[in-house]
Structure formats: C-alpha cells, structure tokens
Amino acid sequence: MARQELARFLRDRRAGLRPHEIGLTATGTDRRTPGLRREEVAELAHMSVDYYTRLEQARGPRPSARILEALSKALRLTSAERSHLFRLAGSSAPPGISAVRRVRPHVARMLERLPETGTLVTDAAYGVVAWNPLAQVLLGGDLGSGTTNLARRRFLGQGRMYETSRTEEFGHMVVARLRRAADRYPHDPQLSALLAELHAGSEEFRQIWQTRPVHAPGHRTKTLHHPQAGTLRLNCDVLLVPEDDQEVVLITADPGSSAARSLHRLAGRVA
C-alpha cells in the first residue's frame, strides 16, 4: 500500500510539472501530455530511467534518503511535499541545510494589505526578512536595513532604539526558538555564527540557554515607549509559515484605544 501511494505521488507530481518550469523546452510532436516525461525526471534526479520507472510502478526497492532528496529537487517539491515524500517512503525527512531566508510572494503581499498593522516576518534564527512601513516606524533602529536580527537586538543591543515591556519573557522566547533552529539546521553557517556571537557577548543569553526554555508563539500584550507616539499598549500575535519555519508578527492595538489612534496617525505619515 505504501509503495502504491508513493508511486501515485510521484506520477501526480511529475504530471503537474511543466517543462518550462524547470528550464526545459517543450518541443517535438511526441509530447502528448503537458507534464514531464519519466526520462526527464530521471535525468534531473541523476538516476536511471529503469529505476525511476519501477518507483512509479510500485515495483522498486525502498528508496534511500539520497534518492528521495534527489527526487525532491528534481520534482521541485516544497518543504511540506518533501516531508510527505519521505513519509510515504517510510523515512523521516532530514532537516534542511539552512534556515529559509526568503519570503514567499503571497506573504510579502499580505504585509502590504495591512497598513494600520505593524507587520514583520522573521526566519528561524530571528532574522527579520520582511516588514511593512508601520513596523519600521514602530520598532525603529536598524529595521529596514535588511540586516536586523531580533536576537541580536534583545541580547546585544544591536540596532535597538525603542524600549518595550516584557523583555525578560521575550528573551526566553528567543532562546527557545534558537534552540529549535539549532536542532533543525545544525550545518547552517549563519546560525552557527549567530549563536557563537550571542554566547560570547551576553551572559544573560548563556544563562537562559542553560535552562532549555520552552515557549510557543501566541498572543501577548506589551508596552512600547515610542519617541513620537508616546506610550503604546500593543498586541502582538504570531502566525506561522510552517513550510519555511518562519513567523509573521502582527502588531495591533485595541479598537478605539489611544494606541489605535496613534497607530492610525503613524500609518498616515508613512502611507
């Protein structure tokens, strides 16, 4: 049964790929279907056509992790599809080599549609990979430079401009997430360098790291002391982008509150 499900998944994914999507030119009169041919997938995955054909016909041996990784790349699988492929083959997908530091277009567009909500996206190592104008005005500092990392802000003070409440709790959240990232991406050089920098530069970070904190993203309220808007009571909510191990942070204020009016005025200035 598992072989048949794996074979069906491979056939469906191959049929759904178009030659131009992977840089192939669809020429010739013998291409009767819009998807890729078996020999094209086999070539992209660096395996024999016979071996790949047997996988699609549920006749092949259980594929190794190397074969599955090659098929994931050849078939342009997303992270979720890659994990699904490994599960169908009776294996656990190994972690990616490094954290995803790009933002999907639909996530970036979502930020543009929330003008009165400060919104930013962080990768698995708390690097800020996308933000909207209101988030930049609210959080200040180096946000907008493309190099902001909230872990560095919290423990090393790099780029931090405005003070907020609940910094102690946030510190534990940062360490918990970085520990998860270290487990998932043990060979990510940028993450390794960040952890070394934090260990070397912050006694507080070293102490929290030893406690192995566990925190989950969710709703939190904090107070921001803003030089232009004054003291703001804000809500922070987190949406997950699981396929990229990223978080979308939404900064809002209670409707009708003075903080909501301040956000409205700040949004008007940056519109």
Side-chain angles (χ1 to χ4, degrees), residues 12-74:
D12 291 346
R13 188 67 182 115
R14 175 172 62 84
L17 269 181
R18 301 296 182 264
H20 71 273
E21 293 177 329
I22 59 172
L24 297 177
T25 303
T27 59
T29 58
D30 58 339
R31 187 179 289 275
R32 299 184 180 89
T33 59
L36 297 183
R37 300 186 181 101
R38 284 175 176 166
E39 56 265 29
E40 290 170 335
V41 175
E43 181 179 358
L44 290 168
H46 306 290
M47 64 183 63
S48 71
V49 178
D50 177 67
Y51 180 80
Y52 178 74
T53 300
R54 283 187 288 138
L55 287 177
E56 275 205 4
Q57 294 175 347
R59 296 188 295 112
R62 178 177 173 178
S64 66
R66 182 184 64 82
I67 290 293
L68 294 172
E69 199 66 68
L71 287 172
S72 297
K73 294 177 181 178

Side-chain angles (χ1 to χ4, degrees), residues 154 164-171 219-223:
R154 171 60 182 81
T164 64
S165 64
R166 308 190 74 163
T167 56
E168 181 177 353
E169 179 188 25
F170 183 58
H219 173 80
R220 287 173 173 82
T221 302
K222 62 178 61 179
T223 301

Side-chain angles (χ1 to χ4, degrees), residues 126 150-151 154-155 170-179:
Y126 266 113
L150 297 186
R154 171 60 182 81
F155 290 105
F170 183 58
H172 285 75
M173 292 171 58
V174 169
V175 173
R177 190 176 180 195
L178 289 181
R179 271 196 166 277

Side-chain angles (χ1 to χ4, degrees), residues 227-268:
Q228 297 173 334
T231 300
L232 304 176
R233 185 178 183 276
L234 301 172
N235 303 308
C236 291
D237 294 276
V238 174
L239 302 178
L240 302 181
V241 185
E243 61 266 35
D244 292 333
D245 202 3
Q246 295 177 348
E247 295 182 354
V248 181
V249 182
L250 305 174
I251 306 171
T252 61
D254 291 337
S257 65
S258 59
R261 292 189 290 272
S262 296
L263 289 189
H264 177 76
R265 288 192 294 269
L266 289 173

Side-chain angles (χ1 to χ4, degrees), residues 94-133:
I97 296 175
S98 61
V100 178
R101 296 183 172 92
R102 66 184 184 280
V103 181
R104 294 176 184 263
H106 69 273
V107 176
R109 288 193 294 270
M110 181 179 68
L111 271 61
E112 298 172 359
R113 296 172 183 151
L114 300 170
E116 293 193 15
T117 298
T119 313
L120 54 90
V121 182
T122 61
D123 64 24
Y126 266 113
V128 179
V129 294
W131 60 91
N132 70 357

